[in-house]
Amino acid sequence: AQRVTQPEKLLSVFKGAPVELKCNYSYSGSPELFWYVQYSRQRLQLLLRHISRESIKGFTADLNKGETSFHLKKPFAQEEDSAMYYCALSGYNQGGKLIFGQGTELSVKP
Amino acid sequence: DGGITQSPKYLFRKEGQNVTLSCEQNLNHDAMYWYRQDPGQGLRLIYYSQIVNDFQKGDIAEGYSVSREKKESFPLTVTSAQKNPTAFYLCASSLQGTSNQPQHFGDGTRLSIL
């Protein structure tokens, strides 16, 4: 079964601390992995995807096929990073549909 | 960013009533999607369409119907058969219905039962 798991509902860190949002997936094949973010009063938007191998707003995510994980990391959290983060998977030849994790709310305290 | 427009923002449904949620995009995207968001459950796929005049059921299609008569429009009807319709509904689109295409989302419609 295809599944995305984000084990933490809420992650609270202080400004300047490192942050890691966990994402594990279950998929029999090579999926495309994404991180989407929803800031307060804004629409859900793409943060980054594994095929791009880029850093967006200081965030990076590495696809680990052995551990079937796609954790999102940032070395120094900022208050403006506070948001809801969703990990999502898209399978090959499945019409581009996304399977989402339950989401992790990141709260960065001053 | 008015690429995807969902209306209305809030919608109330009476028992036994069908309601239709509008989703329009001006991004010239081929693929469109409807998701339902419930607290603590993330987003779940209701229906999706890779091309005009074609659509497929998602994971929770029961009690919903869609049409895709125009490329830019993908309305969702919540029928009376949907027993628990109270939720936040998100529409999305992507350039093509392939796995490597990111999706662009609308602002959502919140549906409640009167």
Side-chain angles (χ1 to χ4, degrees):
Chain A
Q2 301 172 16
R3 187 169 58 245
V4 176
T5 303
Q6 293 178 250
E8 302 133 334
K9 266 189 176 179
L10 173 65
L11 186 61
S12 185
V13 301
F14 285 102
K15 177 183 172 181
V19 62
E20 181 180 50
L21 287 79
K22 291 183 167 45
C23 172
N24 289 90
Y25 67 90
S26 172
Y27 181 76
S28 56
S30 293
E32 301 287 343
L33 273 297
F34 304 84
W35 277 99
Y36 283 83
V37 61
Q38 189 167 28
Y39 300 102
S40 178
R41 288 185 291 278
Q42 293 186 29
R43 59 180 64 181
L44 191 63
Q45 58 186 284
L46 177 71
L47 180 62
L48 54 79
R49 45 182 168 162
H50 89 271
I51 59 171
S52 299
R53 292 184 171 272
E54 55 192 346
S55 173
I56 304 292
K57 299 185 179 183
F59 284 98
T60 58
D62 290 318
L63 179 60
N64 186 323
K65 292 185 179 181
E67 295 184 359
T68 59
S69 68
F70 188 56
H71 302 328
L72 184 68
K73 300 177 185 179
K74 185 169 183 177
F76 307 104
Q78 303 298 315
E79 289 181 67
E80 55 265 31
D81 295 328
S82 295
M84 195 74 182
Y85 291 81
Y86 292 95
C87 182
L89 172 159
S90 183
Y92 176 75
N93 209 24
Q94 294 187 358
K97 61 182 182 179
L98 291 170
I99 298 169
F100 283 87
Q102 300 92 324
T104 298
E105 182 181 352
L106 175 63
S107 174
V108 181
K109 300 183 188 307
Chain B
D1 182 6
I4 296 187
T5 303
Q6 289 188 242
S7 62
K9 211 168 188 171
Y10 300 95
L11 188 57
F12 297 91
R13 195 191 89 169
K14 294 180 182 177
E15 294 288 340
Q17 186 183 43
N18 293 356
V19 292
T20 297
L21 285 63
S22 170
C23 178
E24 304 276 331
Q25 53 100 358
N26 61 3
L27 300 168
N28 201 33
H29 284 176
D30 282 333
M32 296 187 74
Y33 309 83
W34 273 106
Y35 295 92
R36 170 179 169 143
Q37 188 174 26
D38 295 281
Q41 293 196 46
L43 283 72
R44 292 180 292 166
L45 182 68
I46 304 173
Y47 268 98
Y48 65 106
S49 168
Q50 292 178 270
I51 200 165
V52 176
N53 292 321
D54 188 39
F55 50 83
Q56 288 79 39
K57 291 182 179 180
D59 300 319
I60 54 166
E62 187 175 347
Y64 300 96
S65 66
V66 293
S67 63
R68 186 84 188 277
E69 297 175 3
K70 297 187 294 183
K71 186 175 185 178
E72 58 270 21
S73 179
F74 191 41
L76 173 75
T77 296
V78 184
T79 75
S80 57
Q82 172 49 244
K83 297 307 177 190
N84 185 22
T86 297
F88 190 58
Y89 291 87
L90 281 169
C91 179
S93 72
S94 62
L95 186 61
Q96 296 171 314
T98 55
S99 61
N100 61 349
Q101 293 291 324
Q103 292 185 14
H104 299 252
F105 286 83
D107 286 324
T109 293
R110 188 166 297 280
L111 176 62
S112 302
I113 298 300
L114 281 177

